[in-house]
């Protein structure tokens, strides 16, 4: 799960304070592992150094959270590329898949298209493993099976999510 | 009566069988809304998609069991949806093979008679039909079960008998609707392995409807049916 890319995605909606970013990150992506404030600011500092975000004018008040950060064209480009790219099909990808779906919905993109691309990538990998099974030793068959069952679990999740996109979109928009 | 128009003429195509912009309604319920799919000769295509999306209806339209409200079905470029029922019925007997989720064997007949059925209906003499049917029992690993009645077979055995029946007349296209739907994973896999091996050896084109990704992974390509339309996931790869 990539914190910098997720923050970039959240910033693509609108310029935000570190606090807003932490709140939204924790709500959607950090259920088990909330983001520390320190990590938010360290990540923003790094993104800023790399020209992916720019801090706005310091607003009056105390504390570190007096700047609103905005995404730059470079940051936007990096985020778009990440979002469009299917995740390499390996087992246990729910967190990354989930982040991409939620971010796509938040930004009003076609999450369905993203899920379809991912579905195709998963099935392609499953076809390769199935082909392997038809030619290889029993040990390889067992290993391929393990991969196949886990990829299938991912795919079932992808299908369920696709079926729930309309309600998910409403939940994310509210 | 059959009026030949330009559109009805044979058109050169690489497709073995295709649906073009097919619409079909069950009374008030639209089941297909502009479904298009094209399957190459010898290709094994998996048709996936949510329950009620129109997968079985699409398969039935392709196989000439249902007639589309509009759109076309073409077999090697020739329109077949405009055929009269008698001709579609001979296509189903001679050119197409079928396997369904629950074998649907005839309970009064023995396993070998069930397998021989398409040949008998096609006018092959009984002894020849039974001899050809028996060859499949070895090929599908069910030898010894020839004389059993279908009620005396396990689900996996019955499904292999059903597969033999679907393939015995050497169909050009095999239509399989959830052929492993009632089987456990290992048996389902065995049936798929046999289906794919037989289809590849004989160059049979296969349209395989399935919910299960692991079953779809045996196919060359998959399409997803949603709300009566087909979306293709895998870009067409050269054969
Ligand atoms: N005989 C019928 N009479 C009326 N409506 C039907 C009939 N058969 C199917 N339908 C309807 O047509 C639509 C498509 O059904 P179809 O059987 O093709 O779906 P499917 O994708 O095969 O679903 P499943 O995965 O559950 O088998 C559904 O809305 C279904 O309720
Ligand atoms: Mg069905």
């Amino acid at each position: 799960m990539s914190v910098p890319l997720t923050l970039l995605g959240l910033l693509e909606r609108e310029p935000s304070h570190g606090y807003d970013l932490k709140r939204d990150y924790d709500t959607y992506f950090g259920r088990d592992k909330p983001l520390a404030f320190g990590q938010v600011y360290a990540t923003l500092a790094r993104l800023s150094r790399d020209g992916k975000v720019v801090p706005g004018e310091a607003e009056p008040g105390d504390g570190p959270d007096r700047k609103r950060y905005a995404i730059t064209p470079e940051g936007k480009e990096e985020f778009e590329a990440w979002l469009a790219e299917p995740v390499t099909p390996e087992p246990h990808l729910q967190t990354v898949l989930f982040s991409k779906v939620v971010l796509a919905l938040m930004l009003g993109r076609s999450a369905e298209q993203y899920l379809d691309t991912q579905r195709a990538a998963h099935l392609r990998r499953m076809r390769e493993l199935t082909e392997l099974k038809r030619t290889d030793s029993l040990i390889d068959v067992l290993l391929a099976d393990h991969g196949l069952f886990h990829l299938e679990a991912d795919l079932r999740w992808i299908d369920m999510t696709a079926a729930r996109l309309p309600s998910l979109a409403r939940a994310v928009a509210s | 009566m059959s009026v030949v128009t330009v559109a009805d003429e044979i058109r050169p195509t690489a497709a073995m069988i295709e649906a073009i912009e097919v619409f079909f309604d069950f009374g008030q319920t639209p089941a297909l809304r502009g479904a298009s799919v094209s399957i190459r000769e010898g290709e094994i295509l998996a048709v996936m998609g949510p329950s009620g999306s129109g997968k079985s209806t699409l398969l039935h339209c392709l196989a000439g069991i249902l007639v589309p409200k509009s759109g076309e079905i073409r077999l090697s470029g020739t329109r077949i949806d405009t055929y009269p029922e008698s001709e579609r019925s001979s296509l189903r007997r001679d050119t197409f093979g079928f396997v369904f989720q629950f074998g649907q064997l005839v309970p009064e007949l023995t396993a070998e008679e069930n397998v021989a059925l398409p040949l008998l209906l096609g006018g092959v003499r009984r002894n020849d039909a039974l001899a050809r049917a028996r060859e499949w029992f070895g090929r599908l690993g069910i030898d010894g079960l020839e004389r059993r009645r279908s009620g005396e077979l396990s689900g996996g055995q019955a499904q292999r008998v059903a597969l033999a029946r679907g393939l015995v007349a050497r169909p050009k296209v095999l239509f399989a609707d959830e052929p492993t739907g009632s089987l456990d994973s290992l048996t389902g896999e065995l049936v798929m392995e046999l289906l794919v091996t037989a289809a590849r050896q004989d160059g049979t084109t296969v349209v395989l409807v399935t919910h299960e990704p692991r079953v779809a992974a045996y196919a060359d390509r998959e399409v997803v049916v949603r709300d009566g339309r087909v979306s293709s996931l895998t870009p067409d790869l050269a054969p």
Side-chain angles (χ1 to χ4, degrees), chain B residues 24-33 47-60 66 101 177-178 209-211 225 228:
Chain B
F24 186 90
D25 299 338
F26 288 102
Q28 299 296 314
T29 315
L32 296 177
R33 322 172 191 224
V47 178
M48 307 187 74
S51 191
S53 59
K55 303 180 295 295
S56 296
T57 309
L58 176 62
L59 183 140
H60 292 152
L66 295 174
Q101 178 170 0
D177 197 345
E178 300 281 4
V209 170
T210 182
H211 277 105
V225 179

Side-chain angles (χ1 to χ4, degrees), chain B residues 3-197:
Chain B
V3 183
V4 177
T5 65
V6 176
D8 286 348
E9 283 170 14
I10 300 177
R11 353 174 265 208
T13 171
M16 180 73 225
I17 188 156
E18 58 192 324
I20 304 160
E21 281 292 306
V22 167
F23 285 78
F24 186 90
D25 299 338
F26 288 102
Q28 299 296 314
T29 315
L32 296 177
R33 322 172 191 224
S36 299
V37 66
S38 171
I39 304 133
R40 280 188 304 273
E41 182 167 7
E43 187 178 32
I44 301 178
L45 179 81
V47 178
M48 307 187 74
S51 191
S53 59
K55 303 180 295 295
S56 296
T57 309
L58 176 62
L59 183 140
H60 292 152
C61 283
L62 284 166
I65 296 170
L66 295 174
V67 179
K69 180 175 80 172
S70 67
E72 302 177 1
I73 306 294
R74 287 179 181 265
L75 177 70
S76 304
T78 306
R79 246 188 114 162
I80 57 168
D81 57 291
T82 47
Y83 279 12
E85 167 55 26
S86 60
E87 278 180 61
R88 279 185 286 115
S89 155
S90 19
L91 270 183
R92 295 198 296 268
R93 196 184 56 221
D94 305 329
T95 310
F96 298 153
F98 297 90
V99 192
F100 297 105
Q101 178 170 0
F102 301 103
Q104 290 172 359
L105 302 175
V106 182
E108 293 79 16
L109 301 180
T110 62
E112 64 183 10
E113 286 167 338
N114 264 289
V115 174
L117 209 52
L119 299 173
L120 294 169
L121 293 175
V124 177
R125 294 207 344 263
R126 184 175 165 85
N127 282 346
D128 296 342
L130 286 173
R132 274 173 67 187
R134 276 183 214 116
E135 291 168 18
W136 282 89
F137 284 76
R139 203 167 163 192
L140 300 187
I142 42 175
D143 20 359
L145 302 180
E146 291 85 344
R147 299 292 167 87
R148 293 254 192 110
R149 292 194 189 275
S150 56
E152 301 161 356
L153 299 170
S154 76
Q157 292 166 339
Q159 209 52 347
R160 277 184 275 176
V161 171
L163 178 58
R165 185 181 59 184
L167 291 168
V168 72
R170 304 261 165 185
K172 284 208 167 81
V173 185
L174 179 73
F175 293 98
D177 197 345
E178 300 281 4
T180 62
S182 60
L183 307 176
D184 67 60
S185 301
L186 199 58
T187 313
E189 203 153 279
L190 176 62
V191 166
M192 276 317 295
E193 180 63 41
L194 292 166
L195 190 160
V196 166
T197 305

